[in-house]
Amino acid sequence: HLWKVLLALALCLMPGEGLAQTADLAQRLTTCGACHGVDGNAQLPNIPSLAGQPSVFLENQLVLIREGIREIAAKGNVLAGVADREITALARHYANQKVKSPPLARDVALFARGQLVSEQRRCGTCHLSNYAGREQMPRLAAQREDFLLHSMREFAANRATGRDTIMAATLYGLDDGDLVALAHYLSRIGP
């Protein structure tokens, strides 16, 4: 984990509280890793994997959560008071982690239906054709299926507060079977 060593060195060379900042970041990574996985690949139900997400997307989401604009009950106050430089360091850390595709069986019919829905809704326009995400658009490829389905249901029901409202419009009119198929498809394509 050369990145962590370089980050620690950079923080130590900063004027002021470099050593304290390094310890704070290490503690924050431990806290985040409890749910999102040490390497950013979540193993817990309905928890998103952060590994390989675009840095700008992660940074934006962390700020929205810290400021209470995007409320996540399970997170509580975990990001309260976190400095912008630490938010940036966390985002860069997880963006640089390798995405691990979950070893999931593929239901051929469900996968094909999800692929068709994604093409009809032009999901690749924003998330890229390989669904790797970019800038403020999250990576959907190889994301946890349960998390994708939960998120899409929230968007479709217009309950995704603090998140991009274009998704509610994009998913408008899809039935739950379409959302299930879409989550199945996206979770099973390569990162």
Side-chain angles (χ1 to χ4, degrees):
H1 296 197
L2 180 60
W3 189 89
K4 286 183 185 177
V5 173
L6 292 174
L7 175 65
L9 180 60
L11 289 173
C12 288
L13 295 175
M14 292 174 69
E17 304 174 21
L19 289 173
Q21 292 168 1
T22 302
D24 289 346
L25 183 59
Q27 179 58 46
R28 187 82 53 210
L29 287 170
T30 299
T31 300
C32 296
C35 294
H36 295 284
V38 174
D39 61 356
N41 289 282
Q43 300 299 312
L44 298 175
N46 292 314
I47 301 292
S49 290
L50 303 180
Q53 289 289 356
S55 185
V56 172
F57 167 75
L58 288 171
E59 199 167 348
N60 287 343
Q61 295 306 304
L62 291 170
V63 168
L64 290 171
I65 294 166
R66 178 189 67 189
E67 300 303 320
I69 296 166
R70 180 174 175 199
E71 293 182 18
I72 300 176
K75 286 204 182 310
N77 209 8
V78 73
L79 292 174
V82 175
D84 287 345
R85 69 178 171 271
E86 190 174 352
I87 293 276
T88 299
L90 285 168
R92 287 183 183 157
H93 168 78
Y94 285 114
N96 288 318
Q97 298 303 302
K98 184 172 173 55
V99 178
K100 294 180 183 172
S101 295
L104 301 170
R106 183 183 288 184
D107 178 305
V108 176
L110 197 56
F111 184 88
R113 180 178 175 185
Q115 184 174 19
L116 179 62
V117 170
S118 72
E119 290 168 1
Q120 290 172 338
R121 295 300 166 131
R122 296 182 172 88
C123 300
T125 302
C126 295
H127 297 278
L128 298 182
S129 60
N130 64 355
Y131 300 97
R134 61 187 170 112
E135 292 96 27
Q136 75 276 13
M137 303 300 170
R139 171 188 54 75
L140 302 178
Q143 182 56 271
R144 289 188 58 89
E145 182 176 8
D146 53 359
F147 175 74
L148 287 169
L149 182 57
H150 170 75
S151 291
M152 287 187 290
R153 283 175 172 160
E154 291 291 302
F155 279 119
N158 207 23
R159 290 189 309 252
T161 57
R163 297 170 78 185
D164 192 344
T165 56
I166 193 73
M167 286 303 303
T170 302
L171 297 174
Y172 180 79
L174 293 179
D175 64 30
D176 199 61
D178 290 330
L179 299 180
V180 168
L182 190 54
H184 181 83
Y185 167 69
L186 293 168
S187 67
R188 285 160 174 80
I189 56 177

